[in-house]
Every structure is written in structure tokens, then in C-alpha cells.
């Protein structure tokens, strides 16, 4: 079974391609390489020992998108990662985010209908819950006002797929996976997160600081209403997240799945504070990290973590890695990348 993975050269996409191939699927990568590197594809190929077809395509351009799908119309499913994901950048350039994140989704679903590709897994995010008042968040918890255009683009993507599922003109069956905070890297240390420029996210900032690429990590806020005062997130190993995509495909093709649109949280169901992540990193690396306490970052919420029972039960999925595994693998990847 052939699966098109848009954004397959990116962080979560590359790990998912590997898990797909491991599970016996044939994967094709569609990526414009705007936030990833072509070297990722050869790295994936060396891990999987398979040639992975690659199509360089800007999916927000409908004719380019159409040509790419036309070349792979025998595909049976699409896993759609290709999107911009920087919260601060989205605040600065909202149209860039709406055009790419929504435009690409519309083009992709048009092509799926045209070429009769029935199954879609959509990358959503816990950011759709906004500043959630009740924790842990469940799939049925309300979507509160988003904190950024990025967050809004994920909410819109979900509404769009839900609406599409209720019309006769579309035959697409879709699942939105709401990711919590993916960190870590493949056990080989050959693929991992490769941010362009200065990282926005915590884990790459930690590993780059330890590697001497950044001087000092800022811990954004130690005055939150949490046990140690730093913000809490639900960190999930990127390989566990990748496996959840394969499980979502298996589920959609099974008799158990009888709805055209479903949502699943993908988190470990456990919150960890920024300080707990730092301490885990220090423990597994033996490095004392240079960090300082800084003011809260605009748009950050205090705490969020998942209720993941529905996902575990329905998709027959569970996380295999703990926080130390995540920080250890992220460090192995950073060291290998920089020949340390
Ligand atoms: C955000 C989005 C998430 C999105 C992800 C990808 C929200 C609620 N979440 O995650 O949907 O998929 O970005 O870009 O909008 N921190 C520091 N120092 C740093 C960096 C981060 O202390 O240098 C702290 C943050 O304040 C936060 C935690 O670490 O408390 C995690 O931050 P980050 O890795 O950026 O992810 P989120 O902001 O949670």
C-alpha cells in the first residue's frame, strides 16, 4: 500500500516514513524543503535500506500539487505534515501561515478526491485547545480561542476536514492527530530535529546550548502556578508519535472505524515542567546546562497535557519511551550531527 507523506523530509515526517516502511508500507515523500534538507531523504534511505521516491513540490500551488498527485495516483492514503509551525513567526506573518497551512490542505483534499485516494491523516496540535481550563484535555474538550495564527490554522484545518466529511462530493475519510510536544530522535542518531536558525522550541535549544552552539538557555518564566513554577507540557517521543500515524492508518482501514472524521490526542498523558526536562537532560548527558530564568514568553500557557485513553484504546497505541529516553536520543542526534 502506497502512502504519500507530505513534509516527509521534516522532523515528524521523516520518523513516520521510517515507521511506515518498517510496517510494510511503501512511502513517497512530497516536500518543498523549505524547512528541511534533502540530506534527510538519504538518511531515511540508509536507515530503511529502501529507495524512497521524492517529489519536490510546493503544495500550496494547486497546479504543482496536482502534478505531484498525478504521478502517484495509485496511492491509498496521505499523511499530511507539510505546514509551517513557528508560533512567533505566525504572529508576524499571518498570511504566510493561512496560505500555506490552509491552502495546501485544500489542494491536497481536492487531489485526493480527483484521484480517489480515500484516507487522510492530518497533523493537528494540542494548540487547538488554547488556554485549556480543565486538565488533562480530552478530545471532547472545547477549542478555545487560539494563541496564534498557527494555532488558528490548525483549528481551521480540523473544521475543514469535519465539514468535508459530511458532504457527498468528497469521499475522504480522515483522522486529525492532536500532537502534544514531540521531542527526541531516532535511535540511530541519524535523523532528528533540524531547526533552521535559532530554535524556538525547548529541546533543540537545550541540545544546541549543550553543544556550544548557543550560549545560554532561557527558561521562560518560573512564576507559573505549577509545582516548580515552570510551565508544563506533555512531551512525547517522536518515534512514539510516528508509530501513532501508522496505527491511525491501520485503524481507518479496519472494521472498527465507522466514522468519516475522528480526532485523537497523541501525548503520553503526563505533564513535565521545563525544569524537569532540563534535569532529565543533565542526568542522561552528564552535562551541567547553562541556563537562566527569563520572563514568560508571549502566548505561552501555564500547563497542558493529554487525556490519551481514547487513543490508546481505539488505536491500540501506547508510548514506549519516557522523558529520559527522549532527552538522551535528542542529545545523541545533536552530537552526531556536530561530530562531537
Ligand atoms: C508550541 C505549540 C505547539 C507547536 C509547537 C511547535 C502551543 C501551546 N504549542 O509548543 O502546538 O506544535 O510549538 O512549534 O502553542 N521554553 C523555554 N525556553 C526556550 C524554549 C521553550 O523555557 O528556549 C519553554 C516554553 O516556554 C514552554 C516549553 O518550554 O513552556 C515548551 O516550549 P516549546 O518547545 O516552544 O513548545 P510549545 O510552545 O509548548
Amino acid at each position: 500500500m502506497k502512502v504519500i507523506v507530505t513534509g516527509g523530509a521534516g522532523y515528524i515526517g521523516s520518523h513516520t516514513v521510517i515507521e511506515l516502511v518498517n510496517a510494510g508500507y511503501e512511502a513517497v515523500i512530497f516536500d518543498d524543503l523549505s524547512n528541511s534538507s534533502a540530506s534527510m531523504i538519504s538518511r531515511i534511505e540508509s536507515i530503511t535500506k529502501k529507495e524512497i521516491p521524492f517529489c519536490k513540490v510546493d503544495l500550496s500551488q494547486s497546479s504543482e500539487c496536482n502534478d505531484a498527485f498525478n504521478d502517484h495516483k495509485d496511492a491509498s492514503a496521505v499523511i499530511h505534515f507539510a505546514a509551517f509551525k513557528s508560533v512567533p513567526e505566525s504572529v508576524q506573518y499571518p498570511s504566510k501561515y493561512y496560505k500555506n497551512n490552509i491552502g495546501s490542505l485544500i489542494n491536497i483534499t481536492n487531489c485526493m478526491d480527483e484521484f480517489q485516494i480515500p484516507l487522510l491523516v492530518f497533523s493537528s496540535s494540542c494548540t487547538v485547545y488554547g488556554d485549556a481550563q480543565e486538565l488533562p484535555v480530552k478530545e471532547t474538550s472545547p477549542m478555545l480561542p487560539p494563541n496564534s495564527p498557527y494555532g488558528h490554522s490548525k483549528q481551521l484545518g480540523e473544521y475543514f476536514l469535519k465539514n468535508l466529511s459530511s458532504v457527498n462530493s468528497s469521499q475522504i475519510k480522515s483522522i486529525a492527530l492532536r500532537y502534544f510536544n514531540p521531542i527526541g530522535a531516532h535511535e540511530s542518531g541519524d535523523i532528528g530535529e533540524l531547526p533552521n536558525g535559532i530554535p524556538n522550541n525547548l529541546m533543540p535549544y537545550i541540545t544546541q546550548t549543550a553543544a556550544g552552539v548557543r550560549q545560554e538557555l532561557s527558561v521562560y518564566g518560573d512564576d507559573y502556578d505549577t509545582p516548580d513554577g515552570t510551565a508544563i507540557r506533555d512531551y512525547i517521543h517522536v518515534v512514539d508519535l510516528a508509530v501513532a500515524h501508522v496505527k491511525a492508518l491501520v485503524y481507518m482501514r479496519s472494521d472498527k472505524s465507522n466514522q468519516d472524521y475522528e480526532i485523537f490526542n497523541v501525548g503520553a498523558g503526563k505533564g513535565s515542567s521545563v525544569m524537569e526536562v532540563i534535569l532529565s537532560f543533565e542526568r542522561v548527558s552528564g552535562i551541567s546546562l547553562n541556563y537562566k530564568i527569563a520572563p514568560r514568553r508571549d502566548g505561552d500557557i501555564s500547563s497542558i497535557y493529554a487525556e490519551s485513553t481514547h487513543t490508546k484504546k481505539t488505536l491500540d497505541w501506547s508510548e514506549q519511551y519516557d522523558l529520559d529516553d527522549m532527552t538522551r536520543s535528542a542529545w545523541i542526534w545533536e552530537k552526531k550531527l556536530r561530530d562531537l
Side-chain angles (χ1 to χ4, degrees):
M1 176 176 159
K2 188 193 257 195
V3 181
I4 294 170
V5 184
T6 79
Y11 175 44
I12 309 170
S14 56
H15 288 84
T16 302
V17 169
I18 291 169
E19 295 309 317
L20 279 171
V21 174
N22 286 347
Y25 293 87
E26 189 189 334
V28 179
I29 295 177
F30 286 6
D31 202 304
D32 67 357
L33 303 180
S34 62
N35 192 27
S36 56
S37 145
S39 71
M40 254 327 153
I41 293 154
S42 35
R43 287 163 181 261
I44 297 169
E45 290 181 329
S46 87
I47 292 170
T48 57
K49 303 197 172 36
K50 286 254 159 64
E51 205 176 305
I52 311 289
F54 166 60
C55 189
K56 188 168 185 299
V57 50
D58 177 354
L59 297 161
S60 69
Q61 303 296 325
S62 59
S63 61
E64 273 188 47
C65 181
N66 209 282
D67 290 347
F69 271 87
N70 195 27
D71 288 344
H72 295 283
K73 49 181 169 232
D74 55 336
S76 305
V78 176
I79 303 183
H80 177 41
F81 295 102
F84 295 143
K85 62 157 197 170
S86 160
V87 172
E89 188 190 44
S90 77
V91 174
Q92 214 178 353
Y93 305 106
S95 25
K96 177 176 171 182
Y97 274 68
Y98 288 104
K99 179 169 181 278
N100 190 41
N101 293 7
I102 303 301
S104 298
L105 181 61
I106 294 172
N107 290 338
I108 286 166
T109 49
N110 281 342
C111 288
M112 289 176 69
D113 273 322
E114 180 177 342
F115 298 115
Q116 296 180 340
I117 301 172
L119 306 175
L120 173 66
V121 182
F122 173 64
S123 297
S124 190
S125 163
C126 67
T127 195
V128 300
Y129 294 112
D131 196 353
Q133 299 304 304
E134 269 184 49
L135 295 176
V137 283
K138 299 189 182 73
E139 288 83 355
T140 49
S141 300
M143 286 201 211
L144 296 180
N147 291 325
S148 66
Y150 160 75
H152 193 214
S153 74
K154 291 296 173 190
Q155 290 185 339
L156 289 174
E158 287 198 10
Y159 279 121
F160 170 69
L161 291 177
K162 184 169 190 283
N163 291 334
L164 205 59
S165 72
S166 63
V167 295
N168 290 333
S169 53
S170 176
Q171 300 307 315
I172 299 170
K173 183 168 173 174
S174 57
I175 279 183
L177 296 181
R178 291 179 175 164
Y179 312 155
F180 283 70
N181 285 57
I183 60 171
H186 189 260
E187 60 179 5
S188 63
D190 287 332
I191 58 163
E193 189 167 10
L194 197 58
N196 266 344
I198 303 173
N200 287 311
N201 300 115
L202 179 63
M203 197 67 237
Y205 214 107
I206 289 177
T207 53
Q208 289 196 9
T209 305
V213 182
R214 311 280 153 212
Q215 234 188 344
E216 184 179 53
L217 169 79
S218 294
V219 173
Y220 296 134
D222 69 347
D223 56 350
Y224 285 105
D225 184 15
T226 61
D228 66 18
T230 63
I232 289 179
R233 298 287 183 274
D234 186 340
Y235 295 94
I236 174 90
H237 197 296
V238 68
V239 172
D240 281 331
L241 177 57
V243 169
H245 292 78
V246 178
K247 296 273 186 175
L249 278 186
V250 171
Y251 168 74
M252 275 199 281
R253 298 172 69 209
S254 75
D255 298 342
K256 285 201 289 176
S257 153
N258 53 17
Q259 291 172 52
D260 284 338
Y261 174 69
E262 282 185 81
I263 297 165
F264 294 95
N265 281 341
V266 192
K270 179 179 177 294
S272 303
S273 71
V274 175
M275 276 316 300
E276 284 174 318
V277 178
I278 293 174
L279 290 173
S280 162
F281 177 79
E282 292 188 328
R283 192 163 49 238
V284 302
S285 67
I287 290 174
S288 167
L289 200 69
N290 188 24
Y291 69 87
K292 66 165 185 213
I293 305 298
R296 292 181 180 194
R297 184 172 69 175
D298 270 357
D300 271 350
I301 56 172
S302 166
S303 303
I304 190 158
Y305 50 95
E307 165 60 74
S308 50
T309 320
H310 175 55
T311 309
K312 289 180 174 166
K313 217 170 121 192
T314 314
L315 298 188
D316 184 29
W317 170 88
S318 66
E319 76 284 355
Q320 304 298 312
Y321 299 100
D322 65 16
L323 186 60
D324 283 358
D325 297 323
M326 300 182 216
T327 55
R328 187 184 300 109
S329 61
W331 182 227
I332 291 170
W333 152 248
E334 186 79 55
K335 282 196 294 186
K336 210 163 176 183
L337 185 69
R338 300 187 191 276
D339 280 330
L340 295 175

